[in-house]
Short mmCIF file of all heavy atoms in Angstrom, two decimals:
data_model
loop_
_atom_site.label_atom_id
_atom_site.label_comp_id
_atom_site.label_asym_id
_atom_site.label_seq_id
_atom_site.Cartn_x
_atom_site.Cartn_y
_atom_site.Cartn_z
N THR P 28 4.85 -17.29 -0.43
CA THR P 28 4.72 -18.05 0.88
C THR P 28 3.31 -18.59 0.97
O THR P 28 3.02 -19.68 1.25
CB THR P 28 5.09 -17.21 2.05
OG1 THR P 28 6.50 -16.69 1.81
CG2 THR P 28 5.03 -17.96 3.28
N ILE P 29 2.39 -17.62 0.80
CA ILE P 29 1.01 -17.99 0.93
C ILE P 29 0.54 -18.98 -0.18
O ILE P 29 -0.28 -19.96 0.12
CB ILE P 29 0.12 -16.73 0.93
CG1 ILE P 29 0.47 -15.82 2.06
CG2 ILE P 29 -1.33 -17.02 0.91
CD1 ILE P 29 -0.16 -14.37 2.07
N ARG P 30 0.92 -18.77 -1.39
CA ARG P 30 0.70 -19.61 -2.39
C ARG P 30 1.05 -21.03 -2.11
O ARG P 30 0.34 -22.02 -2.36
CB ARG P 30 1.15 -19.06 -3.70
CG ARG P 30 0.75 -19.92 -5.02
CD ARG P 30 1.37 -19.49 -6.33
NE ARG P 30 0.87 -18.10 -6.74
CZ ARG P 30 1.66 -17.02 -6.66
NH1 ARG P 30 2.99 -17.07 -6.40
NH2 ARG P 30 1.13 -15.87 -6.99
N SER P 31 2.35 -21.09 -1.79
CA SER P 31 2.85 -22.50 -1.50
C SER P 31 2.11 -23.17 -0.39
O SER P 31 1.81 -24.44 -0.50
CB SER P 31 4.36 -22.41 -1.04
OG SER P 31 4.44 -21.80 0.15
N VAL P 32 1.60 -22.48 0.56
CA VAL P 32 0.85 -23.14 1.65
C VAL P 32 -0.59 -23.57 1.15
O VAL P 32 -0.99 -24.80 1.30
CB VAL P 32 0.61 -22.16 2.80
CG1 VAL P 32 -0.26 -22.87 3.95
CG2 VAL P 32 2.02 -21.89 3.40
N PHE P 33 -1.21 -22.64 0.28
CA PHE P 33 -2.42 -23.07 -0.21
C PHE P 33 -2.42 -24.31 -1.12
O PHE P 33 -3.22 -25.27 -1.05
CB PHE P 33 -2.90 -21.88 -1.23
CG PHE P 33 -3.48 -20.74 -0.60
CD1 PHE P 33 -3.63 -19.45 -1.29
CD2 PHE P 33 -3.90 -20.74 0.73
CE1 PHE P 33 -4.14 -18.43 -0.63
CE2 PHE P 33 -4.35 -19.64 1.41
CZ PHE P 33 -4.51 -18.42 0.73
N GLU P 34 -1.23 -24.37 -1.86
CA GLU P 34 -1.16 -25.52 -2.70
C GLU P 34 -0.69 -26.77 -2.03
O GLU P 34 -1.15 -27.94 -2.35
CB GLU P 34 -0.03 -25.21 -3.91
CG GLU P 34 -0.59 -24.21 -4.76
CD GLU P 34 0.44 -23.93 -5.96
OE1 GLU P 34 1.64 -24.37 -5.84
OE2 GLU P 34 0.07 -23.24 -6.93
N LEU P 35 -0.07 -26.54 -0.90
CA LEU P 35 0.33 -27.71 -0.06
C LEU P 35 -1.07 -28.36 0.48
O LEU P 35 -1.01 -29.51 0.76
CB LEU P 35 1.10 -27.26 1.14
CG LEU P 35 1.93 -28.24 1.95
CD1 LEU P 35 2.91 -28.97 1.19
CD2 LEU P 35 2.66 -27.42 3.15
N TYR P 36 -2.07 -27.62 0.69
CA TYR P 36 -3.33 -28.03 1.18
C TYR P 36 -4.30 -28.47 0.16
O TYR P 36 -5.37 -28.76 0.41
CB TYR P 36 -3.91 -27.00 2.26
CG TYR P 36 -3.35 -27.03 3.54
CD1 TYR P 36 -1.96 -26.46 3.78
CD2 TYR P 36 -3.88 -27.53 4.55
CE1 TYR P 36 -1.38 -26.49 4.95
CE2 TYR P 36 -3.31 -27.44 5.91
CZ TYR P 36 -2.09 -27.02 6.10
OH TYR P 36 -1.45 -27.05 7.29
N GLY P 37 -3.87 -28.58 -1.06
CA GLY P 37 -4.59 -29.12 -2.21
C GLY P 37 -5.52 -28.05 -2.83
O GLY P 37 -6.60 -28.30 -3.54
N PHE P 38 -5.22 -26.70 -2.63
CA PHE P 38 -6.10 -25.74 -3.23
C PHE P 38 -5.63 -25.42 -4.64
O PHE P 38 -4.46 -25.47 -4.93
CB PHE P 38 -6.12 -24.40 -2.43
CG PHE P 38 -7.01 -24.55 -1.21
CD1 PHE P 38 -6.58 -25.31 -0.07
CD2 PHE P 38 -8.20 -23.97 -1.11
CE1 PHE P 38 -7.26 -25.49 1.00
CE2 PHE P 38 -9.08 -24.17 0.03
CZ PHE P 38 -8.51 -24.91 1.05
N GLN P 39 -6.56 -25.08 -5.66
CA GLN P 39 -6.14 -24.89 -7.05
C GLN P 39 -6.37 -23.48 -7.38
O GLN P 39 -7.30 -22.76 -6.84
CB GLN P 39 -6.94 -25.82 -7.95
CG GLN P 39 -6.73 -27.22 -7.85
CD GLN P 39 -7.46 -27.96 -8.75
OE1 GLN P 39 -8.63 -27.79 -8.82
NE2 GLN P 39 -6.80 -28.85 -9.48
N PRO P 40 -5.54 -22.92 -8.18
CA PRO P 40 -5.62 -21.49 -8.62
C PRO P 40 -6.81 -21.12 -9.48
O PRO P 40 -7.37 -21.92 -10.20
CB PRO P 40 -4.23 -21.17 -9.31
CG PRO P 40 -3.95 -22.50 -9.88
CD PRO P 40 -4.39 -23.55 -8.90
N LEU P 41 -7.41 -19.96 -9.30
CA LEU P 41 -8.45 -19.37 -10.01
C LEU P 41 -8.17 -17.88 -10.32
O LEU P 41 -7.67 -17.23 -9.35
CB LEU P 41 -9.81 -19.57 -9.46
CG LEU P 41 -11.01 -18.90 -10.22
CD1 LEU P 41 -11.37 -19.59 -11.50
CD2 LEU P 41 -12.26 -18.73 -9.21
N GLU P 42 -8.32 -17.44 -11.58
CA GLU P 42 -8.28 -16.06 -11.71
C GLU P 42 -9.55 -15.62 -12.47
O GLU P 42 -10.12 -16.23 -13.27
CB GLU P 42 -7.00 -15.62 -12.57
CG GLU P 42 -5.79 -15.76 -11.87
CD GLU P 42 -4.66 -15.24 -12.53
OE1 GLU P 42 -4.63 -14.47 -13.51
OE2 GLU P 42 -3.38 -15.51 -12.07
N THR P 43 -10.09 -14.43 -11.95
CA THR P 43 -11.29 -13.86 -12.65
C THR P 43 -11.08 -12.50 -13.16
O THR P 43 -9.98 -11.81 -12.79
CB THR P 43 -12.48 -13.92 -11.63
OG1 THR P 43 -12.15 -12.94 -10.53
CG2 THR P 43 -12.85 -15.27 -11.02
N PRO P 44 -11.96 -11.96 -14.09
CA PRO P 44 -11.57 -10.70 -14.60
C PRO P 44 -11.56 -9.47 -13.51
O PRO P 44 -12.14 -9.56 -12.59
CB PRO P 44 -12.71 -10.34 -15.59
CG PRO P 44 -13.47 -11.66 -15.66
CD PRO P 44 -13.20 -12.57 -14.43
N ALA P 45 -10.83 -8.41 -13.84
CA ALA P 45 -10.77 -7.24 -13.08
C ALA P 45 -12.19 -6.68 -12.93
O ALA P 45 -12.58 -6.11 -11.87
CB ALA P 45 -9.74 -6.26 -13.61
N MET P 46 -12.92 -6.81 -14.01
CA MET P 46 -14.34 -6.16 -13.95
C MET P 46 -15.37 -7.25 -13.95
O MET P 46 -15.20 -8.28 -14.71
CB MET P 46 -14.47 -5.17 -15.08
CG MET P 46 -14.43 -5.64 -16.38
SD MET P 46 -14.57 -4.39 -17.71
CE MET P 46 -12.85 -4.29 -18.30
N GLU P 47 -16.43 -6.94 -13.36
CA GLU P 47 -17.56 -7.87 -13.30
C GLU P 47 -18.89 -7.05 -13.82
O GLU P 47 -18.88 -5.79 -13.76
CB GLU P 47 -17.91 -8.40 -11.94
CG GLU P 47 -16.83 -9.36 -11.33
CD GLU P 47 -17.03 -10.72 -11.77
OE1 GLU P 47 -18.01 -11.09 -12.33
OE2 GLU P 47 -15.98 -11.41 -11.61
N ASN P 48 -19.90 -7.63 -14.19
CA ASN P 48 -21.19 -6.98 -14.50
C ASN P 48 -21.53 -6.38 -13.11
O ASN P 48 -21.52 -6.94 -12.01
CB ASN P 48 -22.23 -7.95 -14.90
CG ASN P 48 -21.89 -8.48 -16.37
OD1 ASN P 48 -21.38 -7.77 -17.11
ND2 ASN P 48 -22.34 -9.65 -16.61
N LEU P 49 -22.05 -5.11 -13.14
CA LEU P 49 -22.43 -4.42 -11.92
C LEU P 49 -23.46 -5.20 -11.23
O LEU P 49 -23.41 -5.20 -9.81
CB LEU P 49 -22.95 -3.09 -12.34
CG LEU P 49 -23.31 -2.08 -11.18
CD1 LEU P 49 -21.99 -1.78 -10.43
CD2 LEU P 49 -23.74 -0.74 -11.80
#
Side-chain angles (χ1 to χ4, degrees):
Chain P
T28 304
I29 294 170
R30 183 183 294 112
S31 70
V32 177
F33 284 164
E34 290 183 349
L35 196 62
Y36 281 73
F38 286 75
Q39 294 183 309
L41 172 71
E42 291 190 11
T43 64
M46 63 185 106
E47 292 278 346
N48 291 329
L49 190 55

